[in-house]
Amino acid sequence: MATVTVSQLTDTLKQHLNLSAPDPEIKGAKPQQPDIAYQPDRAKWEARTARRLAANPSLPSTPLPAGFPKKLESPLVWEGSDWKDEKDWVHALTPSELDEIAGALKHFRGLDKPLGLVSQATFPLPTLGPVLAGIARELHAGRGFAVLRGIPVDAYSREEVVIVYAGVSSYVGNLRGVQDARAGGVLAHIKDLSALYDARAIGSPAYTTDKQVFHTDVGDIISLLALQTAAEGGVSKISSSWRVYNHIAAHRPDLIATLSQPWPFDGFGGDPPYTARPLLGYADGKLVIQYARRALTGFQGLPRSAGIPPLSEAQAEALDTLHFLAERYALSLDFQRGDIQYVNNLSVFHARDGFRDDEAHTRHLVRLWLRNEELAWQIPAYLDASWQRQYYALDPEKQVFALEPEIRSASQGVKY
């Protein structure tokens, strides 16, 4: 009988899996960025998983990192199929609550203060305020998401809509995070700007009609107000990162270890050229996930920088695993014009489908990053500097609220 070498068996396995390319994890091979893009490719993910498990069948037996739980038990652990009635998470504003909002707007206008001073003290909501406080508690200790329905965006000027949005949201999170450090901007616009800018100038899918993959933003709470919806598509999706964690911890604990180790986040030409931190941490009994895929793969006008450390094959697999499991357990939200969506950004992923606009329907959202100092979770130490810059480095009087869509500085691509 002919002798079959280990090398021949490996080659046969690679051919069977359509993985004839050299294994990037071979010792001595020069590290290079894996074949992974912003838009996840299921076939590549499955092939990479098969290859890695074939090379090391013991990966699923890897112990979890010290301190990480085998299973999270919490209302924050859910699947999209668990939710049957949107009344469970939607609070529709009543006529009396809308009157109260209008009165608070008039009160703030009468103070003649900068928009950065919109707060619970300057935007009084004696009846609606406790309802919003309940939403804040739900974000931190309940399911992690809620929708406030019925802001009459057509009844107000753009500036008035922004004041209402900031005032109402101050009861959910009293601090607003800086989203554009260069300008001091705390309000961001999510809108397709591809007709106004060359593709090379756009470094984020937020300014295109492209699908946005599952990710988190920066900070404790992400809030989105829908000024207008798309003609077709653009479905808003959320997914419990705690449910995703439980799946990975049970089936691939080695990837939990990978996610909890430092990753190279691209600075896209900044100083430093990249930063290194984990995607996943565990602090004070709570799991915290913070990452944007484009900072690891690049996007359009901001491709992955040359000369910075590449992702490993394990990291590439883990990154796709997060997305495809989030997709499996996702909940689609009926995001209507005038809705405000609040999400615990530390424990819930969000994404959106690609979309099509027309003359009558041009998808346009505005975003705030919020923090509720009373209810806020303890965050891992590696996020401290980011939190300080975002929430505590800018005086409220200097906060800037851009009233028209613009590409924030962190998402601007190459100049042309």
Side-chain angles (χ1 to χ4, degrees):
M1 180 179 294
T3 301
V4 180
T5 66
V6 172
S7 177
Q8 288 171 324
L9 284 172
T10 301
D11 290 341
T12 300
L13 176 63
K14 288 181 177 180
Q15 291 171 7
H16 177 69
L17 296 174
N18 194 26
L19 296 169
S20 56
D23 190 331
E25 292 188 322
I26 294 176
K27 291 182 179 179
K30 183 180 179 180
Q32 57 185 340
Q33 182 75 353
D35 182 15
I36 185 170
Y38 174 77
Q39 294 292 348
D41 185 313
R42 179 176 287 275
K44 290 181 180 179
W45 169 56
E46 291 174 346
R48 178 173 282 114
T49 296
R51 180 180 67 231
R52 297 192 68 244
L53 289 174
N56 187 355
S58 68
L59 288 176
S61 301
T62 304
L64 286 167
F68 280 82
K70 291 184 178 180
K71 186 176 183 180
L72 294 164
E73 300 281 358
S74 167
L76 287 165
V77 179
W78 49 261
E79 301 180 13
S81 60
D82 295 335
W83 303 105
K84 307 299 183 184
D85 189 343
E86 71 171 13
K87 291 179 181 177
D88 290 337
W89 66 86
V90 174
H91 175 82
L93 290 164
T94 65
S96 62
E97 289 170 339
L98 290 172
D99 287 344
E100 190 169 88
I101 289 172
L105 172 63
K106 183 178 180 180
H107 176 82
F108 179 78
R109 284 293 211 187
L111 298 176
D112 194 27
K113 292 180 179 291
L115 266 64
L117 294 182
V118 176
S119 67
Q120 294 182 29
T122 60
F123 198 87
L125 297 172
T127 304
L128 180 58
V131 175
L132 298 170
I135 287 177
R137 290 191 295 273
E138 190 67 50
L139 296 181
H140 292 83
R143 63 183 168 265
F145 65 96
V147 171
L148 188 70
R149 175 154 294 163
I151 298 295
V153 293
D154 287 332
Y156 299 120
S157 69
R158 176 64 57 79
E159 184 177 62
E160 288 171 337
V161 169
V162 168
I163 293 171
V164 166
Y165 179 34
V168 166
S169 296
S170 69
Y171 288 80
V172 178
N174 63 299
L175 296 181
R176 289 182 288 269
V178 174
Q179 301 188 56
D180 193 328
R182 185 184 303 170
V186 296
L187 183 78
H189 293 255
I190 312 299
K191 191 175 188 291
D192 175 31
L193 300 179
S194 59
L196 301 177
Y197 294 88
D198 185 282
R200 293 169 294 175
I202 299 176
S204 169
Y207 307 109
T208 72
T209 61
D210 291 7
K211 172 182 178 180
Q212 280 191 291
V213 303
F214 283 98
H215 65 287
T216 70
D217 284 5
V218 183
D220 297 55
I221 301 167
I222 177 175
S223 169
L224 293 166
L225 165 62
L227 298 178
Q228 181 58 277
T229 56
E232 183 180 5
V235 174
S236 178
K237 297 180 177 179
I238 59 174
S239 189
S240 165
S241 61
W242 285 31
R243 177 64 184 91
V244 170
Y245 172 89
N246 282 352
H247 183 111
I248 299 175
H251 299 282
R252 289 295 303 279
D254 60 297
L255 295 183
I256 298 298
T258 297
L259 291 164
S260 66
Q261 295 165 358
W263 290 51
F265 283 79
D266 201 336
F268 297 115
D271 184 19
Y274 73 95
T275 55
R277 65 165 178 84
L279 270 66
L280 179 152
Y282 192 71
D284 192 32
K286 295 182 177 65
L287 185 78
V288 171
I289 292 183
Q290 287 275 281
Y291 81 100
R293 186 177 173 107
R294 71 181 187 90
L296 301 165
T297 64
F299 178 85
Q300 199 166 285
L302 289 177
R304 180 78 174 169
S305 297
I308 69 173
L311 300 183
S312 68
E313 285 292 304
Q315 288 174 328
E317 185 193 356
L319 191 59
D320 278 349
T321 299
L322 289 178
H323 172 78
F324 287 112
L325 287 179
E327 195 169 65
R328 176 189 297 187
Y329 298 125
L331 172 67
S332 295
L333 300 178
D334 180 21
F335 202 17
Q336 301 179 13
R337 192 176 191 197
D339 281 2
I340 304 179
Q341 176 180 297
Y342 295 105
V343 172
N344 182 329
N345 191 55
L346 302 177
S347 66
V348 178
F349 298 122
H350 64 279
R352 70 132 195 262
D353 289 345
F355 64 92
R356 179 184 62 82
D357 286 335
D358 62 22
E359 291 185 3
H361 300 86
T362 302
R363 191 177 193 272
H364 187 179
L365 313 181
V366 285
R367 180 180 68 195
L368 292 171
W369 288 343
L370 305 170
R371 179 173 174 82
N372 186 309
E373 289 186 293
E374 179 183 351
L375 301 174
W377 292 3
Q378 178 182 329
I379 58 171
Y382 58 80
L383 294 175
D384 281 342
S386 175
W387 257 241
Q388 289 297 319
R389 289 192 302 271
Q390 184 173 333
Y391 290 113
Y392 300 102
L394 183 68
D395 292 336
E397 294 89 343
K398 297 180 180 179
Q399 292 179 358
V400 174
F401 294 76
L403 298 182
E404 296 300 326
E406 60 184 11
I407 300 176
R408 64 192 186 102
S409 57
S411 299
Q412 292 174 0
V414 299
K415 303 301 181 184
Y416 60 97

